[in-house]
Amino acid sequence: MLKAMTKTHQRSPSGPPEHSDPNERDESVAPKDGVFALPSHIAGSGTLDRLVETARDYARHAASENTLKAYAKDWAHFARWCRMRGADPLPTSPQVISLYIADLAAPAGKAPALSVSSIERRLSGLAWGCAQRGERLDRKDRHITTVLAGIRRKHARPPVQKEAILPQDLRDMVATLPHDLRGLRDRAILLIGFAGGLRRSEIVSLDHGKDDTPDSGGWVEIMDDGALITLRGKTGWREVEIARGSSDQTCPVHALTQWLHYARIDFGPIFVAVSRNGLKATIDRLSDKHVARLIKQTVEDAGLHPELSKAERLALYSGHSLRAGLASSAEVDERYVQKQLGHASAEMTRRYQRRRDRFRVNLTKASGL
């Protein structure tokens, strides 16, 4: 069936063709030059070559580094899938894409079936991969849409939400941290992440001042009443206000100023690694994976959900648990929570409110029943 739907040639399942052309492109790897190059009929010059490099640099910043890495992995998986079945990934065929997503939803081998949301994410990655190679993937083609609709109808499930970290949980987690330099840093990460409703990538992207580093995602200004974070998030630039807390032990602004003072940070990334002896801060920005590891470690140390096994307990929490905790516990008008989290709609904010409003309003009694 696959051979009838797409152009094929003989390949070994575990490697390249036996008589491959050494000049043939490897379609599993994105072109190094991207889509920006001078047309053949235009002669290059110093100015034009510089602008080509500038355009490529802007293109590399069109999406976050994590997104680009995920898209590259999606394309590599698809290219390998095609080669294992004697097909070419390019030119991209909607029929082959439909077979690919069907295999993701109901794999014949030992590979686990992907969720609907993961398959949709894969399609986004394939669309990106095609664009990088001068191709266009029509996701609205009937071969793709009908198969995807069937997958949704048969396999769709409600999204599995991570557990919210509520204020008492956060106090218990913070209490497990030592009072050395690493402890000061990690305490500030947890409290700022919670009070600001920040994503883990947003936390580690913060700089001390505006334009301190090229890879900055925002900066912090400490004021008398709190901290003002100017942040470049998924929905564009926004300001996040973090007011001072009622106690120094749990005040995010106090924790941040303590870390900045003792780490002697007055320029560049705010959340950086600490030297091996734990006595000084380095200049190396932390990865967002540190936030995820920190949350899981402090959850374990605090003994949250002792009725569960360690694996089950750690699976409940992620970086988004901080955002969900703020949305679920802040007893204020919903629009303020929406603004803090940077959501474009109130419906998205409600998804973060774990059981907050469940049965609070009794419409059954209100209707007279």
Side-chain angles (χ1 to χ4, degrees), residues 81-323:
W81 183 91
C82 288
R83 289 196 302 271
M84 294 291 288
R85 288 154 182 81
D88 278 324
L90 291 177
T92 307
S93 164
Q95 294 94 324
V96 173
I97 296 291
S98 68
L99 298 181
Y100 174 64
I101 62 176
D103 193 33
L104 295 179
K110 296 181 179 180
L114 296 189
S115 65
V116 174
S117 60
S118 295
I119 292 174
E120 291 174 337
R121 210 292 310 279
R122 284 281 177 92
L123 285 174
S124 298
L126 297 188
W128 173 87
C130 289
Q132 301 307 302
R133 294 159 178 81
E135 297 281 334
R136 180 178 178 273
L137 173 60
D138 183 10
R139 293 182 59 176
K140 295 183 179 180
D141 183 276
R142 62 184 180 86
H143 295 91
I144 299 176
T145 56
T146 53
V147 172
L148 188 58
I151 292 173
R152 288 196 189 102
R153 187 176 181 86
K154 188 173 182 179
H155 299 294
R157 298 289 186 274
V160 178
Q161 294 182 319
K162 295 298 183 179
E163 189 78 3
I165 293 175
L166 300 177
Q168 187 54 54
D169 299 330
L170 187 61
R171 293 188 189 98
D172 294 340
M173 292 163 63
V174 167
T176 67
L177 295 172
H179 291 278
D180 56 8
L181 204 55
R182 285 192 181 88
L184 291 176
R185 179 198 63 193
D186 291 343
R187 186 174 285 103
I189 287 175
L190 292 176
L191 293 173
I192 287 291
F194 178 90
L198 304 180
R199 300 175 179 88
R200 65 185 194 182
S201 59
E202 294 172 341
I203 297 171
V204 298
S205 72
L206 293 175
D207 276 5
H208 189 278
K210 181 181 179 182
D211 299 329
D212 278 359
T213 63
D215 59 342
S216 169
W219 62 93
V220 180
E221 183 180 359
I222 305 295
M223 301 178 175
D224 292 339
D225 295 330
L228 178 64
I229 298 178
T230 304
L231 191 68
R232 182 178 60 219
K234 287 187 174 182
T235 56
W237 287 97
R238 76 180 195 273
E239 288 186 344
V240 175
E241 300 173 3
I242 300 180
R244 295 185 182 273
S246 56
S247 167
D248 283 349
Q249 283 70 34
T250 56
C251 174
V253 182
H254 177 77
L256 180 60
T257 53
Q258 289 287 99
W259 158 247
L260 294 176
H261 172 72
Y262 287 103
R264 299 181 181 179
I265 295 175
D266 56 9
F267 181 85
I270 285 181
F271 295 116
V272 295
V274 175
S275 61
R276 288 190 176 183
N277 60 14
L279 298 180
K280 62 180 294 186
T282 70
I283 61 173
D284 300 323
R285 188 189 301 275
L286 288 176
S287 163
D288 63 337
K289 293 180 180 179
H290 174 81
V291 180
R293 289 193 295 263
L294 172 63
I295 289 172
K296 291 181 181 295
Q297 184 60 55
T298 50
V299 162
E300 178 66 17
D301 293 342
L304 303 186
H305 290 286
E307 74 280 4
L308 302 177
S309 68
K310 179 179 179 179
E312 292 172 332
R313 183 162 54 248
L314 296 184
L316 285 177
Y317 295 92
S318 73
H320 264 51
S321 296
L322 293 175
R323 286 166 62 79

